[in-house]
Amino acid sequence: MAMSMPHQIGALSGTPLTAETGGEVPAKGNTTASAVWRTPLTNLRVSVQKTGADVDMLSPTPSPPLSPLKGGMRPDLSVACQALMEAPAETAEEKEHRLGISPEKGKGVPVFVMMPLDSVKMDHTVNRKKAMNASLQALKSAGVEGIMMDVWWGLVERDAPGEYNWGGYAELLEMAKKHGLKVQAVMSFHQCGGNVGDSCTIPLPRWVVEEMEKDPDLAYTDQWGRRNYEYVSLGCDTLPVLKGRTPVQCYSDFMRGFRDRFENLLGDTIVEIQVGMGPAGELRYPSYPEQDGTWKFPGIGAFQCYDKYMISSLKAAAEAFGKPEWGRTGPTDAGHYNNWPEDTNFFRKEGGGWDGQYGEFFLTWYSQMLLNHGERILQSAKAIFDDKGVKISVKIAGIHWHYGTRSHAPELTAGYYNTRFRDGYLPIAQMLARHGAIFNFTCVEMRDHEQPQDAQCAPEKLVRQVALATQEARVPLAGENALPRYDDYAHEQILQASSLNIDDQSSDREMCAFTYLRMNPDLFHPDNWRRFVAFVKKMKEGKDAHRCQEQLEQEAEHFVHITQPLVQEAAVALMH
C-alpha cells in the first residue's frame, strides 16, 4: 500500500491521522482477516452465556438484541483563599502557565462545584433561588473557586430556531458574580435524562426533535435499528438538516449568542467554556445508554454507526480503501450491549476481529469520525471566544471497565481507539492541543480495587494513561469525579491523581482545575461538609505544600464552625 491505513482514511476525511502508539508495542501474532468481517447473515442464533468458550456467532443485522430490555459575602464568613486569576498571556511561556500546561510549583488546583442539572427551570427562572443563594455563599466561604453550570440548548433555543431565551442563566450568572465565584459554562447540546446521575429530563429543542421525527436517521442508530435521541448524529454534522442549518452551524450560532449576551462577564466571571460534543456532554458515541435498561454496567456497549449518514461515510471510506464490501455495515459479530469481550468474535483476545485488517480499517474510520466532529466544533468555538479571556475545554469519558483486556471493547464502541497495542488518547489530546483546549477527564476519584475485578476495571491505570498522553501533547488536564463521593478515600484519590506525579517529567505539573460532582443536600450534611472543606484546602495547597495535616484540619474545622448557620440554611432550602 502506498499509504498506511490511518493515513488513507485520514486523507479521505480531510484530516490527517497519525498512527500513534503508547509505550512498547508487543509483537502481534499472525491473525487472519478472513473471518473478521462478513456480510449480515440471517437465522443465526446468538450465545450470550459467559461459560466456557462460548462466543456469539455473527449477529444478524435485522435481529433484535438478546440482552434483557430494561436515568456578596457576609462579613462574618471567612474566605479560604483569593480566587486564582491569571494574567493575560503575552509570551509562549506565559501562555503555558495560563493554560495550566506548566503551572508554578505548588500553585495548587482550584476546585469548582457542579450545579444541579435543573438549576434553571423550564420557565427560564432560577430553581430554588433562596437555596441557590445560600449555597453559593457557603461554597465561596469554603474557598471554592467557582461553579460549573449546564447551559441547555433544549431550554434556551427550545421553541424556534435562532430564538434564544437566556432567562434564568442571566440571573444565575449575576448571582455567581455577586458572591465572587468563577463560572465554567457548559454548552450542553445533549439531552438531559438517560445517563448516570441524570435527575431530570430536558430534551433537545422541540424543532430539533421534530426534524429527527421526520428523519430518524438524524439520531444515532445501532445495528438493530434502535435510535438514540440524546444528541444529533455526527454523521450529518455538515448537512443542512436542521431547518436549513447544519448541526455545527446550530452549535456555533448558540455559542455566538451566548458570547454576545454575556460578553460583559467573559474573562471575569465566566472563565471557561466547556463545549458539549456528545451524550452527557462528552466527546463520544452513545454506546452505553442506560435509558430503558438497554445497557447495564459493565457491558461492552454497541457501535453507533448505522444511521444512513454514517453508513454513507463508511461506504465512501471503504471504496477509497479498495474494499467496497467493507462499507455495507459495521461489524456484525461484535455482540450486544451487555456482552463481555470474550462473548464475541470481534472483541475476544485471541483472533478477535478488532486485531485484524478489517478491524483496523473500521476502528480507524469510526474513531476518526469522532475526532473530526471535535475538530469542527472546536474550530468554531475558538473563533467565537477568541480574545475573550476564557479557556475552552472538552470532556472525555472515563471508560474504565474491561480496560485490562486486550481489545478494550467499551472504549472502542464509544469511539476511543485504545487497545493494548494502540494509544487512543494521544490523538484526542493532540487534537485538543491544536486548538488550545483543556482535556477534561472523569473517574478521577476511583481506585482500581474498588471496582469489579472480574470486569478488569482499572480507572487508576486509565487516568495515568490519559495524564501521560496530555503531557506528551502538552495540553492541560482537568478532572472530575464520575460519581458523587463525599468520603476521605475518594478525596485522597483525587488529591493524588490531580498532583500528576506520573514520571520524572511531571514534577512541575498539576491538573489545571478540578470540578466536584455535585452541589446537593448531601454535600451540606455536617460530616460531608467538614470533609469537603478540608479537601478544598488541600487541593489549593498544591502538591508541594509542607503544612502539616493537623494545621489543615484545624483550619477546616474553623471554617465549618463559622459557616454552620449558612450551611444549615442551604441544606434545608435545597430539600424543599
Side-chain angles (χ1 to χ4, degrees):
M1 283 186 241
M3 298 172 67
S4 69
M5 189 173 306
H7 279 94
Q8 290 187 61
I9 297 176
L12 177 70
S13 64
T15 304
L17 174 63
T18 55
E20 302 288 353
T21 56
E24 295 185 18
V25 180
K28 298 206 279 193
N30 295 325
T31 55
T32 61
S34 60
V36 298
W37 181 90
R38 300 183 179 94
T39 52
L41 302 177
T42 57
N43 299 322
L44 291 181
R45 297 180 67 83
V46 180
S47 168
V48 295
Q49 284 132 356
K50 281 192 74 276
T51 57
D54 287 347
V55 296
D56 70 345
M57 301 306 291
L58 298 181
S59 308
T61 301
S63 67
L66 296 187
S67 49
L69 292 177
K70 315 198 236 260
M73 293 299 301
R74 292 189 336 205
D76 61 326
L77 294 177
S78 302
V79 179
C81 293
Q82 293 295 321
L84 297 171
M85 280 300 294
E86 296 147 324
E90 295 293 339
T91 67
E93 183 178 4
E94 288 171 342
K95 183 179 179 181
E96 286 192 348
H97 282 280
R98 176 172 59 84
L99 291 175
I101 298 172
S102 179
E104 295 177 10
K105 252 190 166 184
K107 124 179 173 169
V109 180
V111 175
F112 290 76
V113 175
M114 293 186 205
M115 292 292 97
L117 294 168
D118 59 352
S119 292
V120 173
K121 297 189 292 184
M122 299 300 282
D123 64 357
H124 305 289
T125 61
V126 174
N127 197 7
R128 298 185 297 271
K129 192 179 303 185
K130 180 180 178 182
M132 189 69 70
N133 192 60
S135 300
L136 295 183
Q137 288 189 48
L139 293 178
K140 180 62 177 178
S141 74
V144 164
E145 181 81 357
I147 59 173
M148 173 180 277
M149 53 187 280
D150 289 279
V151 184
W152 295 105
W153 185 27
L155 276 181
V156 175
E157 199 179 356
R158 179 179 61 199
D159 298 323
E163 294 183 9
Y164 306 110
N165 188 332
W166 303 104
Y169 291 108
E171 189 175 2
L172 191 55
L173 285 164
E174 285 298 330
M175 199 179 290
K177 178 182 179 181
K178 181 182 74 171
H179 295 307
L181 290 165
K182 309 301 178 187
V183 174
Q184 297 169 321
V186 184
M187 304 290 101
S188 296
F189 299 120
H190 60 286
Q191 167 191 292
C192 179
N195 278 297
V196 177
D198 285 355
S199 56
C200 62
T201 299
I202 302 173
L204 297 181
R206 288 173 186 163
W207 54 275
V208 174
V209 173
E210 288 171 4
E211 293 303 301
M212 295 175 87
E213 288 173 348
K214 291 181 200 172
D215 180 2
D217 284 289
L218 297 180
Y220 281 116
T221 308
D222 64 20
Q223 76 177 83
W224 306 282
R226 182 187 285 104
R227 309 285 189 179
N228 185 296
Y229 295 92
E230 293 179 65
Y231 188 85
V232 179
S233 169
L234 62 81
C236 56
D237 268 357
T238 60
L239 302 174
V241 294
L242 297 179
K243 305 285 188 184
R245 288 187 297 168
T246 71
V248 172
Q249 284 176 328
C250 291
Y251 306 148
S252 301
D253 290 344
F254 184 91
M255 291 189 287
R256 194 174 294 108
F258 181 86
R259 178 201 66 189
D260 294 345
R261 174 62 180 84
F262 299 112
E263 192 156 13
N264 63 312
L265 299 176
L266 293 175
D268 179 16
T269 296
I270 303 169
V271 296
E272 181 179 322
I273 301 294
Q274 185 174 110
V275 188
M277 295 190 174
E282 297 166 335
L283 178 63
R284 64 172 175 87
Y285 294 100
S287 56
Y288 50 100
E290 284 201 309
Q291 199 164 26
D292 300 325
T294 302
W295 170 88
K296 289 190 288 190
F297 177 85
I300 59 175
F303 291 113
Q304 305 291 312
C305 59
Y306 293 87
D307 63 78
K308 67 183 181 184
Y309 302 105
M310 292 291 285
I311 289 294
S312 175
S313 172
L314 178 60
K315 181 180 178 182
E319 289 175 351
F321 188 65
K323 292 281 189 178
E325 67 272 20
W326 287 356
R328 299 171 190 165
T329 178
T332 59
D333 55 352
H336 298 285
Y337 285 97
N338 293 313
N339 282 149
W340 287 32
E342 290 305 306
D343 294 335
T344 76
N345 280 323
F346 189 79
F347 293 119
R348 65 184 181 184
K349 63 182 179 182
E350 298 291 347
W354 66 275
D355 199 24
Q357 187 184 28
Y358 167 73
E360 183 183 357
F361 161 78
F362 173 79
L363 294 169
T364 300
W365 167 80
Y366 190 67
S367 60
Q368 186 62 40
M369 289 288 283
L370 190 66
L371 287 169
N372 291 349
H373 175 65
E375 195 98 47
R376 291 186 197 103
I377 299 176
L378 274 179
Q379 285 173 345
S380 180
K382 185 179 179 182
I384 291 167
F385 293 105
D386 190 36
D387 297 326
K388 298 301 178 184
V390 296
K391 301 173 184 179
I392 304 292
S393 70
V394 175
K395 187 175 176 181
I396 311 298
I399 303 174
H400 59 84
W401 52 104
H402 301 297
Y403 182 86
T405 63
R406 292 184 187 178
S407 64
H408 293 233
E411 292 164 88
L412 298 186
T413 57
Y416 305 155
Y417 191 0
N418 189 56
T419 70
R420 184 163 297 183
F421 310 123
R422 188 183 191 280
D423 186 348
Y425 297 99
L426 184 57
I428 297 173
Q430 291 169 331
M431 184 269 289
L432 297 179
R434 285 195 291 274
H435 301 282
I438 295 169
F439 191 123
N440 186 287
F441 197 62
T442 61
C443 80
V444 174
E445 86 283 10
M446 295 182 176
R447 302 184 185 211
D448 290 354
H449 73 267
E450 295 173 341
Q451 308 303 317
Q453 294 308 296
D454 56 345
Q456 299 198 49
C457 300
E460 292 177 81
K461 295 182 180 66
L462 174 57
V463 170
R464 176 181 171 81
Q465 181 186 353
V466 166
L468 287 168
T470 56
Q471 181 171 283
E472 181 173 342
R474 297 190 65 75
V475 65
L477 177 62
E480 293 182 6
N481 49 318
L483 300 172
R485 290 280 296 271
Y486 308 99
D487 57 284
D488 287 331
Y489 294 107
H491 291 164
E492 191 56 41
Q493 184 63 27
I494 294 168
L495 285 160
Q496 183 177 333
S498 65
S499 68
L500 297 181
N501 289 323
I502 48 178
D503 60 19
D504 56 7
Q505 303 293 315
S506 56
S507 59
D508 292 343
R509 194 167 178 250
E510 295 177 279
M511 284 188 178
C512 60
F514 180 81
T515 306
Y516 194 91
L517 185 154
R518 145 179 346 262
M519 190 186 86
N520 58 28
D522 289 338
L523 175 61
F524 296 114
H525 182 279
D527 290 339
N528 292 344
W529 181 248
R530 185 184 70 254
R531 286 189 289 264
F532 175 74
V533 170
F535 163 73
V536 172
K537 293 189 68 64
K538 291 173 188 174
M539 290 286 280
K540 298 190 77 170
E541 286 286 314
K543 66 195 293 182
D544 294 319
H546 299 294
R547 290 205 294 159
C548 70
Q549 183 75 15
E550 185 178 348
Q551 184 180 358
L552 284 170
E553 295 290 349
Q554 287 176 348
E555 290 185 10
E557 287 291 347
H558 173 67
F559 279 109
V560 170
H561 175 71
I562 64 173
T563 60
Q564 186 176 9
L566 185 59
V567 171
Q568 288 177 339
E569 179 185 348
V572 170
L574 280 170
M575 295 175 70
H576 292 85

